[in-house]
Amino acid sequence: MSSRILAILCGFAVCASAAVDQCKPIGWATRSGRTSTPFEVTGGGNATPITVTTFADLQKYAKDSSPRVIYIDGTLGSGWSGTTGDRLNITGSNKTIIGLKPGTLLKAPIHISKASNIIVRNIVIQGPGSNADQAWDNLTIENDGSKNIWIDHCEFWDGQDGNADVVKGADNVTFTWCIFGYKKKSTHNLSNLIGSSDNEPVSEGKLNVTYMFNWWKAANQRKPRCRYGNVHVVNNLLTGDASVTGGTDVLGVSAGHMCRVRTERNVFINEANPIYTGNANGTGVNEVIDNIFTNCSGNTKGTGTSFTPPYDYTGFMLPASEVEAAVKANAGATLKSPTECDANYVEPPPPTPDKQYQAEKGSITGGVSESSNSGFHGDGYVNFDKGGNVVVPVKVDTAGQYKFEIDFANGSGEARSLAVSAGLDTATASFKATGAWTTWNTQEVLVSLAAGENAVKFATVGGNDGPNIDQFEVTLVKAQVVSPDTSKKDTTVCDTSLGDTSKTAIPMLSGLSLQQGAYTVSVYATDGKFVRKTENVSQSMLRNTRELTAGLPAGVYLVRVTAPGVSRSYFTAVK
């Protein structure tokens, strides 16, 4: 079984002991008739996707004779009432119709008639509210020839006559990860009907339907109510809501004329009559297997033995105890991309973990915290204005040189610089172009930090723009070493590798060697107050920190060494 969906379920805080690939059709849709002969549900297959932005185009491609992969961009349709208005008629076979974004709304019911090998995914249909008049269902699959149909990750709300019906000889249909719900109170909130009459001979041996990982919310009846078919209701969630269903007859799964239902490992919460036997008429069977009933009234017992599904499902069926969390996390029009379940889908690499510090949590001046470009961590990233900066508190236990690993994006096409400073130490780094604002790289910068909390500032340089920065890690590279000389006032930052512990050497804070020449040495107190400056210092004299700090009161100082093209800083202690 695919590891991708296991990772998805674990990401929703419900790591199931078994899992199903949400990109793969399952159930009766994958069989030919009531047999074990496989059928591959491909929809439009590898046809080049067409993105439609008008209802007219959607209707045109849904009816034609060519295999189609159709992406719906935006809200399409003008609505309907009763049997008047827009209705999407899918009469051409081999179609895949997918909402381009999560929650894609179709203001038109769907009618599938005499079409086969159909996939409908990631669409919301919001009906006008139920009534007792004859009206269009949110989805109707009907007539001989309508078969091998997979309805996945869709939402059907407030259907007038019903939410999603399969009738009049249709066959081999699977519903997965869908929501069937009602928000408005009515006596006719009837959701899923299979078979429209006890006298429907065209449906004998047909109407084979699988419901797996779906959620019925506040529906009065038909969850589902069936005739003729072999209907598998497995790993679904059914929840009642008295504010919507109160005062009406509430019936759950109902096996009617010549229908056999296998009700297996579902969860019923606040449901009245979860298993309704009043429609059986001596020929309906509802086998009840390992379900959970919580705060339910009415019948929960099954009748008779149903059927053994001719397709695999036990390898990924969830224990009933895990169904509620899995369905609530995944059901509905939640897919972020139409290619998420495409045949050519490539599993992305696992996400990189969050780093210690999120730049957007700092104090931003001349810039914003933004989240429009994907790939960031935390709540967003910092997008600088020209001359902008962000100050982030960074706390460390040990004073010394630290490596900052900064995640950034630079889609400008040219390198951009930032000055990274803490106290009196500043390092300027160039952040190369990454090709896009959604492509994130890492830049390393070395900066000295004092023990305790440091206000680390990231600032654009020379009034120019900067890269977008996301998060950063801070790692100690070289600690400030204090080794007191009790014989005299002396500096005590020693590099014992030099073989002379009576003199101290400048730490090479950037990892680069200083070049021969004259240098300027400036000394500051740790509060930033200037103490002294010595110019024309030779390289040999730089090796004697004691001489450079002679006469200073005991304490910790920051020493900065500068020359053309050179800037190095370090902390030293005078005893």
Side-chain angles (χ1 to χ4, degrees), residues 333-351:
T334 60
L335 301 180
K336 296 180 180 179
S337 165
T339 60
E340 190 169 328
C341 287
D342 192 76
N344 297 318
Y345 176 77
V346 177
E347 184 175 353

Side-chain angles (χ1 to χ4, degrees), residues 306-344:
S306 58
F307 65 98
T308 300
Y311 46 81
D312 174 55
Y313 72 99
T314 58
F316 51 79
M317 178 173 56
L318 300 178
S321 61
E322 297 176 359
V323 168
E324 180 181 359
V327 170
K328 285 183 175 180
N330 292 276
T334 60
L335 301 180
K336 296 180 180 179
S337 165
T339 60
E340 190 169 328
C341 287
D342 192 76
N344 297 318

Side-chain angles (χ1 to χ4, degrees), residues 211-212 231-236 253 261-268 275 286-292 306-307 309 311 313-314 317-320 323:
Y211 296 92
M212 196 166 190
V231 178
H232 195 188
V233 181
V234 53
N235 276 175
N236 300 283
V253 182
V261 183
R262 185 182 180 101
T263 303
E264 185 172 11
R265 294 194 186 182
N266 302 281
V267 176
F268 298 80
I275 309 298
N286 195 334
E287 184 177 9
V288 176
I289 305 170
D290 297 334
N291 299 279
I292 293 176
S306 58
F307 65 98
Y311 46 81
Y313 72 99
T314 58
M317 178 173 56
L318 300 178
V323 168

Side-chain angles (χ1 to χ4, degrees), residues 21-98:
D21 187 346
Q22 294 187 61
C23 298
K24 182 180 179 181
I26 58 177
W28 275 119
T30 67
R31 291 298 179 267
S32 296
R34 194 171 285 182
T35 72
S36 60
T37 303
F39 182 93
E40 186 176 4
V41 183
T42 59
N46 294 321
T48 301
I50 299 170
T51 299
V52 296
T53 57
T54 67
F55 185 77
D57 281 345
L58 175 61
Q59 182 62 87
K60 177 178 68 175
Y61 294 123
K63 280 185 172 182
D64 72 16
S65 60
S66 299
R68 298 287 188 188
V69 176
I70 306 167
Y71 296 162
I72 299 176
D73 186 4
T75 298
L76 304 188
S78 300
W80 78 98
S81 181
T83 56
T84 303
D86 283 340
R87 192 185 198 193
L88 177 62
N89 293 292
I90 303 176
T91 55
S93 296
N94 309 310
K95 308 291 184 184
T96 299
I97 300 176
I98 307 179

Side-chain angles (χ1 to χ4, degrees), residues 554-569:
V556 178
Y557 296 88
L558 186 140
V559 180
R560 172 167 292 169
V561 180
T562 59
V566 174
S567 178
R568 304 290 185 270
S569 301

